[in-house]
Amino acid sequence: MIPEDHPRYEPLRRRELIADGATAGLVAMEGVAAHGRGETFDYLIGEVTIPSAALAEEMAAAVICTAERPVISVNGNTAALAASAIGDLQRASGAAVEVNLFHRTEKRMQLITSRLEDAGVNVLSGTAERFIPLSHDRALCLPDGIFAADVVLVPLEDGDRCEALKKMGKTVITIDLNPLSRTSQTADVTIVDELTRALPQITEFCREGNRDRFTTLLREYDNKEILRDALITIKNVIDRALD
Ligand code: PTJ
């Protein structure tokens, strides 16, 4: 149990959620490693939502709220860290939620679905088919879910699937603390922020539903600038430490 007055309460709490998720079989062992990588990059951006990430979060809301068939793709880490935040975003945006795993087993699919449903998420069900142009089980998705989606939010995604979704003509939004990852570099909207900070912000922007602002963003948003700003932020954090 982490004391709430611990100066690093939030990151330690997230680490605990990932560890508990791994023990329960929700989070893949590889997901534990992925979380550690995320923590490193979070440290390097100062463990805050940087302004360019806030802009990307607003853009994500604009893209999701103006989409025909938006889908939020949920993996083990996302379910362990943010099941109820996914429910809030679903209610604010009307997006469908599909469980889509890299390390796919029937048992993990069921555990993650139950965790989401317990948190009030309406999870798509059905028979997954090999629609995504990838070898292995990462190709599997639902005909009425990711396959039919025009916009897919894929937090903590692996680069291959992000590229494959793009090849299928989808607009891809990702949340990834590593601005250098293949996913970050390939997605249409890259939110370089920690998942549990990013999701409530996107939800809030969806609730506000400022259509004029959405139109401006959809016209002017430049993801390259967002990535560049994240890298400059990291450089500045390091420069300050060297001073
Ligand atoms: O549950 P599964 O089977 O679908 O597997 C999920 C993992 C995460 C194991 C899988 O998608 C994977 O291997 O992902 P990668 O390629 O390691 O990419 C995950 C990215 O998310 C990395 O760039 C991390 O820096 C980043 N990341 C990790 N934790 C967070 C994060 N970004 C934002 N918030 C986090 N909490």
Side-chain angles (χ1 to χ4, degrees):
M1 201 58 186
I2 300 150
E4 283 187 32
D5 60 353
H6 192 291
R8 299 192 46 73
Y9 175 77
E10 290 298 335
L12 291 178
R13 174 74 190 128
R14 287 194 288 272
R15 196 181 277 185
E16 190 174 56
L17 287 172
I18 289 291
D20 290 350
T23 306
L26 229 84
V27 174
M29 290 314 288
E30 293 83 351
V32 179
H35 184 77
R37 180 156 54 165
E39 280 185 341
T40 309
F41 279 98
D42 203 16
Y43 218 92
L44 288 171
I45 61 166
E47 293 180 320
V48 291
T49 300
I50 59 175
S52 57
L55 185 65
E57 283 154 8
E58 200 175 4
M59 176 63 179
V63 172
I64 293 170
C65 291
T66 55
E68 298 270 320
R69 299 186 70 143
V71 173
I72 307 167
S73 175
V74 174
N75 64 12
N77 289 46
T78 303
L81 288 171
S84 62
I86 292 289
D88 291 339
L89 178 56
Q90 177 174 53
R91 282 183 291 279
S93 66
V97 171
E98 177 171 341
V99 178
N100 195 274
L101 302 183
F102 190 158
H103 308 282
R104 188 181 179 111
T105 64
E106 253 335 289
K107 185 160 181 246
R108 287 191 67 225
M109 290 294 292
Q110 279 166 19
L111 282 169
I112 291 164
T113 301
S114 301
R115 171 65 62 93
L116 291 168
E117 286 177 346
D118 289 349
V121 180
N122 192 352
V123 182
L124 283 176
S125 60
T127 307
E129 295 179 45
R130 293 185 178 277
F131 287 123
I132 306 176
L134 288 170
S135 56
H136 195 54
D137 285 350
R138 288 177 301 161
L140 290 166
C141 69
L142 293 173
D144 293 337
I146 289 173
F147 178 66
D150 51 349
V151 169
V152 192
L153 168 63
V154 281
L156 284 61
E157 181 59 343
D158 100 283
D160 267 11
R161 191 163 45 193
C162 181
E163 265 176 16
L165 290 171
K166 290 274 297 170
K167 273 193 200 137
M168 290 169 81
K170 319 233 174 257
T171 300
V172 177
I173 305 165
T174 193
I175 302 170
D176 189 333
L177 279 160
N178 176 4
L180 296 169
S181 77
R182 225 149 33 94
T183 301
S184 286
Q185 298 285 329
T186 315
D188 298 284
V189 181
T190 304
I191 299 166
V192 184
D193 198 4
E194 202 285 320
L195 177 79
T196 63
R197 291 196 302 266
L199 288 173
Q201 298 289 338
I202 305 171
T203 301
E204 204 38 53
F205 286 123
C206 289
R207 283 192 187 129
E208 279 171 17
N210 184 337
R211 294 279 147 177
D212 289 345
R213 178 77 184 132
F214 284 174
T215 308
T216 308
L217 274 170
L218 291 167
R219 197 177 51 234
E220 292 177 0
Y221 179 85
D222 180 352
N223 205 50
K224 286 249 173 305
E225 270 306 310
I226 297 291
L227 291 170
R228 199 179 134 71
D229 184 78
L231 290 169
I232 289 170
T233 301
I234 291 173
K235 182 179 173 301
N236 289 342
V237 167
I238 293 171
D239 284 348
R240 272 201 301 278
L242 286 172
D243 266 353

